Each structure stands twice: as structure tokens, then as C-alpha cells.
Amino acid sequence: VGADLLELLQPGGLVVNMSRGGILDETALLSAIETRGLRAGLDVFANEPSVGHGAFEDEISRCPEVYGTHHTGAKTSQASSAIEEAVIRAV
């Protein structure tokens, strides 16, 4: 998702990414936030930390129009059930 697609959103629109960090061009998103008033909810990031502790220091994390979580989309009961079913099929 790059600048061309973000340009199609209504001013003040909301971008949500819970898939993969690299899917969304975060530089283009920051630009669209500044110029078009977009907001974002992100559960994944392009430059995620490789360890489970410590501060996440990235430009996107300092943007007040971005609400970020860290992979909480995978912590729903629906996601847990899907993982359990996939493991059972694999075994």
C-alpha cells in the first residue's frame, strides 16, 4: 500500500494494517497523515524489533495519529482457534 492508494482515501480516513509490516509504505503513510489528515491503526510495522523487550524507536511510533499495538491481532480467540486447527491438520 503506497502513496497512490493512500491518495484515494477520503481526507481524515483511517488506515488499518494487521497483515504484514512490509505491505504498507510507512513513509507514504506519514506523508498522507501530514497532508491529508489520515489516521492509522497498526498491529505490524516494517521495522519491528527482533526481540520481545526494549523500546520500539521508529519514526512511525512517534506519530500521534498512529495507534500501534504489537501483534495483538493474533491474540484473539478466533486467531487462537485458527492456529489450533492448522496445527491439528498438520499433525
Side-chain angles (χ1 to χ4, degrees):
V1 175
D4 291 344
L5 185 58
L6 293 171
E7 184 66 29
L8 297 175
L9 296 174
Q10 295 289 327
L14 178 63
V15 175
V16 176
N17 184 14
M18 297 179 67
S19 60
R20 296 282 181 248
I23 297 291
L24 178 63
D25 180 339
E26 292 177 359
T27 302
L29 175 61
L30 288 171
S31 177
I33 287 170
E34 183 178 320
T35 61
R36 307 195 64 248
L38 297 184
R39 298 162 294 135
L42 307 178
D43 189 52
V44 291
F45 301 90
N47 298 310
E48 293 184 350
S50 60
V51 295
H53 54 79
F56 175 53
E57 301 291 335
D58 195 70
E59 183 179 5
I60 196 100
S61 70
R62 294 186 294 276
C63 181
E65 290 83 6
V66 174
Y67 181 80
T69 59
H70 188 65
H71 290 291
T72 58
K75 293 181 174 57
T76 65
S77 60
Q78 182 182 12
S80 294
S81 294
I83 292 168
E84 291 166 4
E85 291 171 13
V87 170
I88 290 169
R89 282 192 307 272
V91 175

